Amino acid sequence: EVQLLESGGGLVQPGGSLRLSCAASGFTLSTYAMSWVRQAPGKGLEWVSASSGSGGSTYYVDSVKGRFTISRDNSKNTLYLQMNSLRAEDTAIYYCARSRFLEWPDNCFDPWGQGTLVTVSS
Amino acid sequence: QSALTQPASVSGSPGQSITVSCTGTSSDVGGHNFVSWYQQHPGKAPKVILYDVSNRPSGVSNRFSGSKSGNTASLTISGLQVEDEAEYYCSSYSSSSSLGVFGTGTQVTVL
């Protein structure tokens, strides 16, 4: 069964850092582009970042550019999101999701993980 | 990277058909067929129900259909059922920014 399992969320102070992980099972991570999507409490979905299958190409929404880094360890079948200089507005559930293709772009994200909650507060 | 525009809410009675619109620009919705729709029940992760404007993934009911005209995409749910009550989001790729973008979301209520 194809599954994604996020971890690493938690409470962090403004200006702090967190690293999220997304463990993939049932498929080979290196053959798919992957994305991170977030959802602030009671709000809509926001696409955050994408990585090509090799990890050689990465993309970010402007609000996280320079602060967040998407990466992957294909040998561990795991995707990461390193989040630095966190702000209150980064508070959200963070989902990882698989694309159909090796390369970005794509619009079909399937499956999604269950999400991990990041709370930025003092 | 502005969100695509959707109505905040749409409602219908069981068995009826409803349509949810998603308006973007020529750089996203109107520029290609990378348009998808996601269904999200409370406390759950989103689930893709349509991709490439009108294609349904395996296992998704054929009561869900999609179309596009110009810069506006549409999701139609026919034979509305109680379990269709959820939040629906459209999504597109933006060729001007090379980024993904979601719609503002539409709460579908079954009366």
Side-chain angles (χ1 to χ4, degrees):
Chain A
E1 182 185 3
V2 173
Q3 282 189 324
L4 298 168
L5 183 63
E6 301 96 336
S7 61
L11 175 63
V12 61
Q13 292 188 337
S17 298
L18 273 180
R19 188 178 80 155
L20 306 184
S21 300
C22 170
S25 59
F27 69 98
T28 302
L29 188 69
S30 63
T31 58
Y32 293 93
M34 296 290 293
S35 285
W36 287 97
V37 176
R38 67 184 178 184
Q39 186 169 35
K43 302 297 184 181
L45 300 173
E46 180 184 30
W47 181 89
V48 174
S49 180
S51 163
S52 63
S54 67
S57 298
T58 57
Y59 309 84
Y60 301 93
V61 69
D62 283 353
S63 59
V64 309
K65 208 170 287 185
R67 300 188 299 124
F68 289 13
T69 302
I70 189 171
S71 64
R72 56 171 72 207
D73 185 338
N74 286 334
S75 67
K76 294 182 178 179
N77 236 34
T78 301
L79 178 76
Y80 302 102
L81 185 67
Q82 177 67 44
M83 304 186 296
N84 299 331
S85 302
L86 283 162
R87 307 166 180 167
E89 54 264 35
D90 296 318
T91 294
I93 296 172
Y94 285 74
Y95 297 100
C96 62
R98 188 185 76 173
S99 294
R100 289 173 292 173
F101 309 129
L102 176 64
E103 301 292 338
W104 179 258
D106 193 11
N107 71 305
C108 181
F109 305 128
D110 179 47
W112 296 57
Q114 86 292 346
T116 187
L117 177 62
V118 172
T119 303
V120 184
S121 175
S122 56
Chain B
Q1 296 139 20
S2 298
L4 308 174
T5 301
Q6 299 180 232
S9 63
V10 173
S11 61
S13 300
Q16 285 187 329
S17 292
I18 62 167
T19 296
V20 180
S21 62
C22 169
T23 301
T25 69
S26 58
S27 293
D28 40 63
V29 174
H32 50 72
N33 286 335
F34 270 172
V35 177
S36 54
W37 289 90
Y38 295 84
Q39 177 192 63
Q40 187 179 34
H41 287 106
K44 300 292 187 183
K47 168 191 170 185
V48 63
I49 55 173
L50 293 170
Y51 64 94
D52 295 348
V53 177
S54 60
N55 292 325
R56 279 186 307 275
S58 173
V60 172
S61 172
N62 59 9
R63 298 185 297 104
F64 295 95
S65 60
S67 63
K68 189 183 79 166
S69 178
N71 296 336
T72 298
S74 298
L75 163 69
T76 298
I77 308 175
S78 58
L80 200 60
Q81 298 182 0
V82 172
E83 58 262 37
D84 298 333
E85 188 162 291
E87 192 82 15
Y88 291 82
Y89 295 91
C90 62
S91 176
S92 178
Y93 168 71
S94 171
S95 55
S96 61
S97 63
S98 299
L99 305 176
V101 60
F102 282 94
T104 51
T106 298
Q107 174 65 46
V108 168
T109 301
V110 181
L111 301 172

